Amino acid sequence: MTGASVPPPRPSAADPLPVSPGLGDVMTAARMPRKSVQLDKRVLLISTIAILLAATCALIAQWLTALIGIVTNFAFYGRWSTELTSPAGNHLGAWVILVPVVGGLIVGAMARWGSAAIRGHGIPEAMEQVLLNQSRIPPRITFLKPVSSAVAIGTGGPFGAEGPIIATGGALGSLIGQLMHVTAIERKTLLAAGAAAGMAAVFGSPISAVILAVELLLFELRPRSLIPVALAATTATGIRYAMVGSHAVFAMPQVAIPGAGALLFYVLLGAALGFISVGVTRAVYAVEDAFDRLPIHWMWWPALGGLAVGVVGFFAPLTLGVGYTNIEQIVSGGFALNALMFLCAMKFLSWVIALGSGTSGGTLAPLFTIGGALGAAAGMLAAPLLPRLGIDPRIAGLVGMAAMFAGASRAVLASIVFAFETTLQPAGLLPLLGGCSMAYLVSCLCMRQTIMTEKIARRGVRVPSEYAADYLDQVLVRDSCSRDLTVLNAADDLGSVRRWLASGDAKAQFLGYPVLDQTGNLRGIVTRRQLLDAQNADAKGVGELLPTAPIIVFEDNSLREAADHMVEEKVGSVAVVTREAPQKIVGVLTRGDLVTAHTRRLSEARDANRQIRVRQAIRERLRRTPDGG
């Protein structure tokens, strides 16, 4: 080829190429995608750590419960005891108003001079660290969170112990992950394992603890994370059984399987609770916004919230403290209708102000109390009006408490299973499924964020709300790669190639040009920019612009594997080969091909939306037609 000539037409990649004897050399030198495996042996190490972590979290749960008992007994009864006692039986009179105020002052001081991250119920903060900071929670949270929560709850805060324990377990898992220098994914797994272990240690609910971790912390359902978290929840529950027994946390009398009419009522009740959960969520953040507008430092807000807790607690002592006995009484039918409504209103008022003030507390137990009271009250009102339906107020209370949490947090599966695990009532499963699903539906339609995500969403954090199989993992390279290619020879003169490109005869191949050696074997891919920007172009051959080994993917690789490979190699295109003849190029895959692969998915979504619009138009036309024809 002379310097002024234009290279002759290039062979097509579809043309047969001679088989190279250097098959082993190509396979050894070529840079290929990592072999995709579902699990590797490292999961055994992470699972072992998760089990040890769970055992520690189970002990911490008992320690924190004892600490809450110590603070409660000292603050309300002036005695030293680790027994978890309700503050409702105190004889302090009006002085009870000052006890939560003192607790709020202590929490505010700990937040200001310790860590502001102890404010709130902990799960949104853990979600934020998972999404933005590779699951790194500051180590001091491991100590400050349980102590501040014990002070807040022990001095009458209307919160459950489960939120702080979940946050503490997650912080401990994150700390272990930071000390061991594991990967970000493994650290996230340990964080979720600690959180699940904390919840399981409090309620003896391992399955719902795992589901809650999946729905709110892991944002995935993969063996690499599910196995360690499940083993951690199992371990924590086993230790709880050994220490306090395996009885139901919220024991309730045996109930009968509901009939069709009663089931319909529970489903409609779930929908109603869905609407109420939206209002409750908005109320929490409205109160929080109101505190933000106060002209005083946020350190003093928990004391103001404590003042509200004390005033409400003076008139309604049952609102003080964790309130687990209240939940048990609700699902057991232990409250009269008037008492239920009063407890619901006062608990909501106390909790929403305290939580909005930024003190350290949880959301699960208050939401269960409020939702359970509403559900049981609705059951009591409906049962005599519709006697043939066989409505049981106890099941209504069970559905109400789970539906309230499902609507507020959208952890719908965790809510269903949790209500079953804590009551051990199989007859409630079907009503729970229907009621929680309806609450979830209403919440999704009426509210963009949840009680768990609103706070961090305001900071610009996008929280995943749907979990679906990776579409790119379902499409193979052979179905998306480009096969109509123009190729170059490694020995081609760069000057001639550049003049060929400038002449306009060259095919506009922005994905690059595959380069073959003299035997037709693949050497690599050179881009148009590399060809045009090369220095001393007339003195070099095309082959000198290539790396020492080609970057390839196989036809049977998934687009996800190919995309990850392209990111790791920092290239915009890769050569596609077959496993039978890896020296023979059959196509090129580019970033544009990865984008184009989503066309079918988007087309299916558009077709579904088009069908919905057609049906809506037909219904609208029928509605406007006088005779309905």
Side-chain angles (χ1 to χ4, degrees), residues 229-391:
V229 173
L231 291 175
T234 302
T235 302
T237 305
I239 294 176
R240 183 188 186 282
Y241 285 173
M243 298 182 70
V244 301
S246 59
H247 56 274
V249 176
F250 306 132
M252 59 183 293
Q254 196 72 25
V255 293
I257 297 176
L263 181 61
L264 176 61
F265 171 79
Y266 300 136
V267 171
L268 295 177
L269 175 64
L273 266 295
F275 283 109
I276 296 174
S277 70
V278 172
V280 167
T281 301
R282 291 174 177 169
V284 167
Y285 286 100
V287 172
E288 188 172 291
D289 293 339
F291 273 99
D292 281 333
R293 290 190 290 269
L294 291 178
I296 59 175
H297 194 278
W298 55 258
M299 167 188 169
W300 306 105
W301 298 352
L304 293 178
L307 180 62
V309 170
V311 171
V312 173
F314 174 71
F315 294 100
L318 289 178
T319 62
L320 297 171
V322 294
Y324 292 153
T325 55
N326 295 336
I327 299 175
E328 184 170 358
Q329 287 295 309
I330 289 171
V331 297
S332 300
F335 283 113
L337 179 60
N338 291 339
L340 274 176
M341 298 307 297
F342 182 71
L343 173 63
C344 176
M346 293 296 101
K347 186 74 172 183
F348 169 74
L349 183 63
S350 175
W351 169 70
V352 75
I353 295 176
L355 189 64
S357 72
T359 193
S360 182
T363 60
L364 276 74
L367 287 174
F368 293 151
T369 302
I370 297 168
L374 287 172
M380 289 182 181
L381 290 172
L385 296 177
L386 303 168
R388 294 185 179 181
L389 296 185
I391 297 170

Side-chain angles (χ1 to χ4, degrees), residues 177-195:
Q178 294 174 65
L179 294 176
M180 296 191 65
H181 302 291
V182 297
T183 67
I185 293 175
E186 292 168 340
R187 188 162 48 249
K188 178 180 70 172
T189 301
L190 291 175
L191 185 155

Side-chain angles (χ1 to χ4, degrees), residues 142-194:
T142 309
F143 170 76
L144 291 175
K145 186 63 180 179
V147 174
S148 63
S149 299
V151 171
I153 299 171
T155 54
F159 311 109
E162 69 289 332
I165 293 175
I166 290 172
T168 302
L172 181 59
S174 173
L175 175 60
I176 292 175
Q178 294 174 65
L179 294 176
M180 296 191 65
H181 302 291
V182 297
T183 67
I185 293 175
E186 292 168 340
R187 188 162 48 249
K188 178 180 70 172
T189 301
L190 291 175
L191 185 155

Side-chain angles (χ1 to χ4, degrees), residues 370-600:
I370 297 168
L374 287 172
M380 289 182 181
L381 290 172
L385 296 177
L386 303 168
R388 294 185 179 181
L389 296 185
I391 297 170
D392 190 331
R394 296 169 298 182
I395 297 181
L398 183 66
V399 172
M401 81 177 203
M404 175 65 80
F405 186 70
S409 69
R410 299 213 187 120
V412 59
L413 297 178
S415 301
I416 296 169
V417 179
F418 175 85
F420 166 70
E421 287 186 302
T422 53
T423 60
L424 301 179
Q425 289 293 326
L429 274 173
L430 189 57
L432 285 168
L433 179 61
C436 290
S437 298
M438 287 299 294
Y440 181 63
L441 170 63
V442 171
S443 176
C444 290
L445 291 175
C446 299
M447 185 169 59
R448 183 174 182 83
Q449 301 298 334
T450 72
I451 200 169
M452 303 295 181
T453 63
E454 176 69 24
K455 180 183 295 185
I456 57 178
R458 293 180 177 186
R459 300 172 188 162
V461 181
R462 186 175 178 87
V463 183
S465 59
E466 296 180 353
Y467 307 108
D470 186 352
Y471 181 75
L472 292 182
D473 203 34
Q474 306 172 46
V475 183
L476 298 181
V477 168
R478 67 184 176 211
D479 299 322
S480 299
C481 65
S482 303
R483 298 179 182 271
D484 184 16
L485 306 173
T486 297
V487 300
L488 300 175
N489 294 319
D492 282 346
D493 179 73
L494 269 176
S496 299
V497 173
R498 287 173 59 146
R499 286 188 287 273
W500 171 63
L501 292 173
S503 68
D505 293 337
K507 178 183 177 182
Q509 197 161 293
F510 299 103
L511 49 80
Y513 296 93
V515 179
L516 310 179
D517 62 16
Q518 66 274 13
T519 63
N521 291 338
L522 175 67
R523 283 286 310 279
I525 294 179
V526 62
T527 65
R528 187 183 185 93
R529 178 172 292 277
Q530 285 177 309
L531 292 169
L532 295 176
D533 292 350
Q535 300 295 324
N536 301 321
D538 293 333
K540 293 184 178 180
V542 172
E544 297 180 44
L545 300 178
L546 298 171
T548 55
I551 302 172
I552 65 173
V553 295
F554 295 107
E555 279 190 313
D556 58 359
N557 280 129
S558 70
L559 291 189
R560 168 53 55 209
E561 293 169 327
D564 292 345
H565 188 42
M566 292 164 68
V567 171
E568 290 178 350
E569 296 291 344
K570 297 180 175 64
V571 296
S573 59
V574 290
V576 181
V577 299
T578 62
R579 294 188 184 274
E580 294 75 16
Q583 81 287 354
K584 175 183 177 181
I585 184 171
V586 297
V588 171
L589 185 75
T590 69
R591 285 178 296 214
D593 294 327
L594 296 176
V595 174
T596 304
H598 286 281
T599 301
R600 188 180 74 181

Side-chain angles (χ1 to χ4, degrees), residues 126-157:
M127 295 171 72
E128 185 174 22
Q129 297 304 315
V130 167
L131 295 168
L132 297 184
N133 197 29
Q134 296 186 328
S135 305
R136 292 188 176 95
I137 297 177
R140 60 184 179 274
I141 300 299
T142 309
F143 170 76
L144 291 175
K145 186 63 180 179
V147 174
S148 63
S149 299
V151 171
I153 299 171
T155 54

